[in-house]
Amino acid sequence: MAKKDKAHVSETPATQMLKAHKVAFTEHPYEYVEHGGTAESARQLGLDEHCVIKTLVMQDQDAKPLIVLMHGDCTVSTKNLARQIGAKSVEPCKPEVANRHSGYLVGGTSPFGTRKQMPVYIEQSILDLPRIAINGGRRGFLVQLDPRVCVELLSAKPVQCALAQ
């Protein structure tokens, strides 16, 4: 009997959504390190951290959740983001709140297949990249795909709120 391909990871709501919409993507499992972030996944997978996109669950002043897709080597200017989306303020959700909204554990949050529909905002320069690596719905698991999929599938709205770390 043939051995199972080690690179294959079991389905997640994110990969199910991508497959249902016939999106071409590749799977990239890695060894999850607590608080390792995109720097650790980029190092293990030999990727440029700028092309590893983090999925951040945030909320506005009314505690309405939203998702921000940001380069791994940048942070979000919440002031600039709030101004661009017409909110008074934006702040990161607490991990347990983010988990409740997304259905994913922090460190394994994907913008695809979230439990709750949330508006998605994508740092505009991400759309200039040929491919991105983004969480596939589990800690230690990235998928690589065309960044335009985020706009086509999630109706992600481009914003400019990146700050170099």
Side-chain angles (χ1 to χ4, degrees):
M1 194 183 279
K3 281 189 179 171
K4 212 170 173 195
D5 178 13
K6 279 173 89 174
H8 178 74
V9 177
S10 60
E11 295 261 307
T12 66
T15 58
Q16 288 171 346
M17 179 183 183
L18 292 170
K19 286 176 183 173
H21 288 87
K22 299 183 178 11
V23 172
F25 67 94
T26 54
E27 299 181 344
H28 301 272
Y30 64 95
E31 194 65 42
Y32 178 75
V33 175
E34 193 77 33
H35 304 296
T38 53
E40 181 61 27
S41 57
R43 185 190 66 74
Q44 285 189 38
L45 296 171
L47 300 170
D48 177 352
E49 189 182 6
H50 194 68
C51 299
V52 177
I53 306 307
K54 48 192 172 188
T55 303
L56 305 166
V57 182
M58 299 195 163
Q59 63 187 18
D60 68 11
Q61 69 282 349
D62 300 321
K64 288 199 179 95
L66 56 109
I67 288 176
V68 181
L69 304 179
M70 182 54 69
H71 295 285
D73 59 355
C74 295
T75 56
V76 174
S77 165
T78 53
K79 277 193 173 112
N80 285 349
L81 178 63
R83 194 175 318 115
Q84 289 179 57
I85 67 172
K88 285 190 186 98
S89 65
V90 174
E91 65 182 8
C93 287
K94 288 186 169 58
E96 60 278 7
V97 175
N99 175 278
R100 211 171 39 247
H101 292 314
S102 70
Y104 295 115
L105 290 173
V106 169
T109 305
S110 177
F112 304 105
T114 55
R115 179 178 293 154
K116 200 184 257 189
Q117 276 292 115
M118 295 175 267
V120 178
Y121 299 94
I122 185 168
E123 176 58 34
Q124 186 157 357
S125 55
I126 291 171
L127 298 172
D128 297 332
L129 299 170
R131 284 180 75 68
I132 58 170
I134 195 163
N135 201 287
R138 177 178 295 115
R139 289 174 172 176
F141 177 51
L142 299 181
V143 293
Q144 275 194 315
L145 43 73
D146 184 319
R148 290 182 300 260
V149 168
C150 299
V151 174
E152 293 158 9
L153 220 53
L154 305 171
S155 301
K157 292 172 189 64
V159 291
Q160 293 178 318
C161 59
L163 294 173
Q165 285 182 319

Coordinates of all heavy atoms in Angstrom, one line a residue, residues 12-19 21 23-25 53 55 67 69 102-104 108-118 120 122 132-138 143-156:
T12 N -10.0 21.8 6.0 CA -10.4 22.8 6.9 C -11.6 23.5 6.3 O -11.7 23.4 5.1 CB -9.3 23.8 7.3 OG1 -9.0 24.6 6.1 CG2 -8.0 23.1 7.8
P13 N -12.3 24.3 7.0 CA -13.4 25.1 6.3 C -12.8 26.0 5.2 O -13.4 26.2 4.2 CB -13.9 26.0 7.5 CG -13.7 25.1 8.7 CD -12.4 24.4 8.5
A14 N -11.5 26.5 5.4 CA -10.9 27.3 4.4 C -10.6 26.5 3.1 O -10.9 27.0 2.0 CB -9.6 27.9 5.0
T15 N -10.0 25.3 3.3 CA -9.7 24.6 2.1 C -10.9 24.1 1.4 O -11.0 24.0 0.2 CB -8.7 23.4 2.3 OG1 -9.3 22.5 3.3 CG2 -7.4 23.9 2.8
Q16 N -12.0 23.8 2.2 CA -13.3 23.4 1.6 C -13.8 24.5 0.7 O -14.3 24.3 -0.4 CB -14.2 23.0 2.7 CG -13.9 21.6 3.3 CD -14.8 21.3 4.6 OE1 -15.4 22.2 5.1 NE2 -14.7 20.1 5.0
M17 N -13.8 25.7 1.3 CA -14.3 26.9 0.5 C -13.5 27.1 -0.8 O -14.0 27.3 -1.8 CB -14.2 28.1 1.4 CG -14.7 29.4 0.7 SD -14.6 30.8 1.7 CE -15.3 32.1 0.7
L18 N -12.2 27.0 -0.7 CA -11.3 27.2 -1.8 C -11.6 26.2 -2.9 O -11.7 26.5 -4.1 CB -9.8 27.2 -1.5 CG -9.4 28.4 -0.6 CD1 -8.0 28.2 -0.1 CD2 -9.4 29.7 -1.4
K19 N -11.7 24.9 -2.5 CA -12.0 23.8 -3.4 C -13.4 24.0 -4.1 O -13.6 23.8 -5.3 CB -11.9 22.5 -2.8 CG -10.4 22.1 -2.5 CD -10.3 20.8 -1.7 CE -8.9 20.5 -1.5 NZ -8.7 19.3 -0.6
H21 N -14.9 26.6 -4.7 CA -14.9 27.7 -5.7 C -13.8 27.5 -6.8 O -13.4 28.4 -7.5 CB -14.6 29.1 -5.0 CG -15.9 29.5 -4.3 ND1 -16.1 29.1 -3.0 CD2 -16.9 30.3 -4.7 CE1 -17.3 29.7 -2.6 NE2 -17.8 30.4 -3.6
V23 N -10.6 27.2 -6.7 CA -9.4 28.1 -6.6 C -8.1 27.2 -6.6 O -8.1 26.2 -5.9 CB -9.4 28.9 -5.3 CG1 -8.1 29.6 -5.1 CG2 -10.6 29.9 -5.3
A24 N -7.2 27.5 -7.4 CA -5.9 26.8 -7.4 C -5.0 27.3 -6.2 O -4.8 28.5 -6.1 CB -5.1 27.1 -8.7
F25 N -4.6 26.3 -5.4 CA -3.8 26.6 -4.3 C -2.9 25.5 -4.0 O -3.2 24.3 -4.4 CB -4.6 27.0 -3.0 CG -5.4 25.9 -2.4 CD1 -4.9 25.2 -1.4 CD2 -6.7 25.6 -2.9 CE1 -5.7 24.1 -0.8 CE2 -7.5 24.6 -2.4 CZ -6.9 23.9 -1.3
I53 N 1.0 36.4 4.4 CA -0.1 37.4 4.8 C -0.7 36.9 6.1 O -1.2 35.8 6.2 CB -1.1 37.5 3.7 CG1 -0.4 37.8 2.4 CG2 -2.2 38.5 4.1 CD1 0.5 39.0 2.4
T55 N -3.8 37.1 8.9 CA -5.3 37.4 8.9 C -5.6 37.9 10.3 O -5.4 37.1 11.3 CB -6.1 36.1 8.6 OG1 -5.6 35.6 7.4 CG2 -7.6 36.4 8.6
I67 N -12.1 41.8 9.2 CA -10.8 41.1 9.0 C -9.9 42.0 8.2 O -10.3 42.7 7.3 CB -11.0 39.8 8.2 CG1 -11.7 38.8 9.1 CG2 -9.7 39.2 7.6 CD1 -12.1 37.5 8.4
L69 N -6.2 41.9 6.1 CA -5.1 41.0 5.6 C -3.9 41.9 5.4 O -4.0 43.0 4.8 CB -5.5 40.4 4.3 CG -6.8 39.6 4.3 CD1 -7.1 39.1 2.9 CD2 -6.7 38.4 5.3
S102 N -14.5 34.0 14.0 CA -13.9 33.3 12.9 C -14.1 31.8 12.9 O -14.1 31.2 11.8 CB -12.4 33.6 12.8 OG -11.7 33.0 13.8
G103 N -14.2 31.2 14.1 CA -14.2 29.8 14.2 C -12.9 29.2 14.2 O -12.7 28.0 14.2
Y104 N -11.8 30.0 14.1 CA -10.4 29.5 14.1 C -9.7 30.0 15.3 O -10.0 31.0 15.9 CB -9.7 30.1 12.9 CG -10.2 29.6 11.5 CD1 -10.8 30.6 10.7 CD2 -10.1 28.3 11.1 CE1 -11.3 30.2 9.4 CE2 -10.6 27.9 9.9 CZ -11.1 28.9 9.0 OH -11.6 28.5 7.8
G108 N -4.1 30.4 13.7 CA -4.6 29.5 12.6 C -5.8 30.1 11.9 O -6.6 29.4 11.3
T109 N -5.9 31.4 12.0 CA -7.1 32.1 11.4 C -6.9 32.3 9.9 O -5.9 32.8 9.5 CB -7.3 33.5 12.1 OG1 -7.4 33.3 13.5 CG2 -8.5 34.2 11.5
S110 N -7.9 31.8 9.1 CA -7.9 32.1 7.7 C -9.0 33.0 7.4 O -10.1 33.0 8.1 CB -8.1 30.7 7.0 OG -8.2 30.9 5.6
P111 N -8.9 33.8 6.3 CA -10.0 34.7 6.0 C -11.1 33.9 5.2 O -12.2 34.3 5.1 CB -9.4 35.7 5.0 CG -8.3 35.0 4.4 CD -7.7 34.1 5.5
F112 N -10.8 32.7 4.8 CA -11.7 31.8 4.0 C -12.4 30.9 5.0 O -11.8 30.3 5.9 CB -10.9 31.0 3.0 CG -10.1 31.8 2.1 CD1 -8.7 31.9 2.2 CD2 -10.7 32.6 1.1 CE1 -7.9 32.6 1.3 CE2 -9.9 33.3 0.2 CZ -8.5 33.4 0.3
G113 N -13.7 30.7 4.8 CA -14.5 29.8 5.6 C -14.7 30.2 7.0 O -14.8 29.3 7.9
T114 N -14.8 31.5 7.3 CA -15.0 31.9 8.6 C -16.5 31.6 9.1 O -17.4 31.4 8.3 CB -14.8 33.4 8.8 OG1 -15.6 34.1 7.9 CG2 -13.3 33.8 8.6
R115 N -16.6 31.4 10.4 CA -17.9 31.1 11.0 C -18.9 32.2 10.7 O -20.1 32.0 10.4 CB -17.8 30.9 12.5 CG -19.1 30.6 13.2 CD -18.8 30.4 14.7 NE -18.1 29.1 14.9 CZ -17.3 28.9 15.9 NH1 -17.2 29.8 16.9 NH2 -16.7 27.8 16.0
K116 N -18.5 33.5 10.8 CA -19.3 34.6 10.7 C -18.9 35.4 9.4 O -17.7 35.6 9.2 CB -19.2 35.5 11.9 CG -20.3 36.5 12.2 CD -19.9 37.3 13.4 CE -20.7 36.9 14.6 NZ -20.5 37.8 15.7
Q117 N -19.8 35.9 8.6 CA -19.5 36.8 7.5 C -19.0 38.1 8.1 O -19.6 38.7 8.9 CB -20.7 37.1 6.7 CG -21.1 36.1 5.6 CD -20.0 36.0 4.5 OE1 -19.4 35.0 4.4 NE2 -19.9 37.1 3.7
M118 N -17.8 38.6 7.7 CA -17.2 39.8 8.2 C -16.7 40.6 7.0 O -16.2 39.9 6.0 CB -16.1 39.5 9.2 CG -16.5 38.9 10.4 SD -15.1 38.5 11.5 CE -14.8 36.8 11.0
V120 N -13.9 42.3 4.8 CA -12.5 42.0 4.7 C -11.8 43.1 4.0 O -12.3 43.6 3.0 CB -12.3 40.7 3.9 CG1 -10.8 40.4 3.8 CG2 -13.0 39.5 4.6
I122 N -7.9 44.4 2.6 CA -6.6 43.9 2.3 C -5.7 45.1 2.0 O -6.1 46.0 1.3 CB -6.8 43.0 1.0 CG1 -5.4 42.3 0.7 CG2 -7.4 43.7 -0.2 CD1 -5.6 41.1 -0.3
I132 N 0.7 34.7 -2.8 CA 0.8 35.0 -1.3 C 0.7 33.6 -0.6 O 0.1 32.7 -1.1 CB -0.2 36.0 -0.8 CG1 -1.7 35.5 -1.1 CG2 0.0 37.3 -1.3 CD1 -2.8 36.3 -0.4
A133 N 1.2 33.6 0.6 CA 1.0 32.4 1.5 C 0.1 33.0 2.6 O 0.4 34.0 3.2 CB 2.3 31.9 2.1
I134 N -1.0 32.3 2.9 CA -2.0 32.8 3.9 C -2.5 31.6 4.6 O -2.4 30.4 4.1 CB -3.1 33.6 3.2 CG1 -3.9 34.4 4.1 CG2 -3.9 32.6 2.3 CD1 -4.8 35.5 3.5
N135 N -2.9 31.8 5.9 CA -3.3 30.7 6.7 C -4.4 29.9 6.1 O -5.4 30.4 5.5 CB -3.7 31.1 8.1 CG -3.6 30.0 9.1 OD1 -4.5 29.1 9.1 ND2 -2.6 30.0 9.9
G136 N -4.3 28.6 6.1 CA -5.2 27.6 5.6 C -6.3 27.1 6.5 O -7.0 26.1 6.2
G137 N -6.4 27.7 7.7 CA -7.4 27.3 8.7 C -6.9 26.4 9.8 O -7.8 25.8 10.5
R138 N -5.6 26.4 10.0 CA -5.1 25.6 11.1 C -3.7 26.1 11.4 O -3.0 26.5 10.6 CB -5.0 24.1 10.7 CG -4.4 23.2 11.7 CD -4.3 21.7 11.3 NE -5.7 21.2 11.1 CZ -6.2 20.8 9.9 NH1 -5.5 20.8 8.9 NH2 -7.4 20.3 9.9
V143 N -1.6 28.2 2.9 CA -1.8 27.9 1.5 C -1.3 29.0 0.6 O -1.3 30.1 1.1 CB -3.4 27.7 1.2 CG1 -3.9 26.4 1.9 CG2 -4.2 28.9 1.6
Q144 N -0.8 28.6 -0.6 CA -0.3 29.7 -1.5 C -1.3 29.8 -2.6 O -1.8 28.8 -3.1 CB 1.1 29.3 -2.0 CG 2.2 29.7 -1.1 CD 3.6 29.7 -1.8 OE1 3.9 28.7 -2.5 NE2 4.4 30.7 -1.6
L145 N -1.6 31.1 -3.0 CA -2.5 31.3 -4.0 C -2.3 32.7 -4.6 O -1.5 33.5 -4.1 CB -4.0 31.1 -3.5 CG -4.4 31.7 -2.1 CD1 -4.5 33.1 -2.1 CD2 -5.7 31.0 -1.7
D146 N -3.1 33.0 -5.6 CA -3.1 34.4 -6.2 C -3.8 35.3 -5.3 O -4.9 35.0 -4.8 CB -3.8 34.3 -7.6 CG -3.8 35.6 -8.3 OD1 -3.9 36.7 -7.7 OD2 -3.6 35.5 -9.6
P147 N -3.2 36.5 -4.9 CA -3.8 37.4 -4.0 C -5.2 37.9 -4.4 O -6.0 38.3 -3.6 CB -2.8 38.5 -3.8 CG -2.0 38.4 -5.0 CD -1.9 37.0 -5.4
R148 N -5.4 38.0 -5.8 CA -6.7 38.5 -6.3 C -7.9 37.6 -5.8 O -9.0 38.1 -5.8 CB -6.7 38.6 -7.8 CG -5.7 39.8 -8.2 CD -5.7 40.0 -9.7 NE -5.2 38.8 -10.4 CZ -4.0 38.6 -10.8 NH1 -3.1 39.6 -10.7 NH2 -3.7 37.5 -11.4
V149 N -7.6 36.4 -5.4 CA -8.6 35.5 -4.9 C -9.3 36.1 -3.7 O -10.5 36.0 -3.5 CB -8.1 34.1 -4.5 CG1 -9.0 33.3 -3.7 CG2 -7.6 33.3 -5.8
C150 N -8.6 36.9 -2.9 CA -9.1 37.5 -1.7 C -10.2 38.5 -2.1 O -11.2 38.7 -1.4 CB -8.1 38.2 -0.9 SG -6.8 37.0 -0.3
V151 N -10.0 39.2 -3.2 CA -11.0 40.2 -3.7 C -12.2 39.5 -4.3 O -13.3 39.8 -4.1 CB -10.3 41.2 -4.7 CG1 -11.3 42.1 -5.3 CG2 -9.2 42.0 -4.0
E152 N -11.8 38.5 -5.2 CA -12.9 37.8 -5.9 C -13.8 37.0 -5.0 O -15.0 37.0 -5.1 CB -12.3 36.9 -7.0 CG -11.6 37.6 -8.1 CD -10.5 36.8 -8.8 OE1 -10.4 35.6 -8.6 OE2 -9.8 37.4 -9.6
L153 N -13.2 36.3 -4.0 CA -14.0 35.4 -3.2 C -14.5 36.0 -1.9 O -15.6 35.7 -1.4 CB -13.1 34.2 -2.8 CG -13.7 32.8 -2.7 CD1 -14.4 32.5 -4.0 CD2 -12.6 31.8 -2.4
L154 N -13.8 37.0 -1.4 CA -14.1 37.6 -0.1 C -14.6 39.0 -0.2 O -15.0 39.6 0.8 CB -12.9 37.6 0.9 CG -12.3 36.2 1.1 CD1 -11.0 36.4 1.9 CD2 -13.2 35.3 1.8
S155 N -14.6 39.5 -1.4 CA -15.0 41.0 -1.7 C -14.1 41.9 -0.8 O -14.5 42.9 -0.3 CB -16.5 41.2 -1.4 OG -17.3 40.4 -2.2
A156 N -12.8 41.5 -0.7 CA -11.9 42.3 0.2 C -11.7 43.6 -0.5 O -11.5 43.7 -1.7 CB -10.6 41.5 0.3

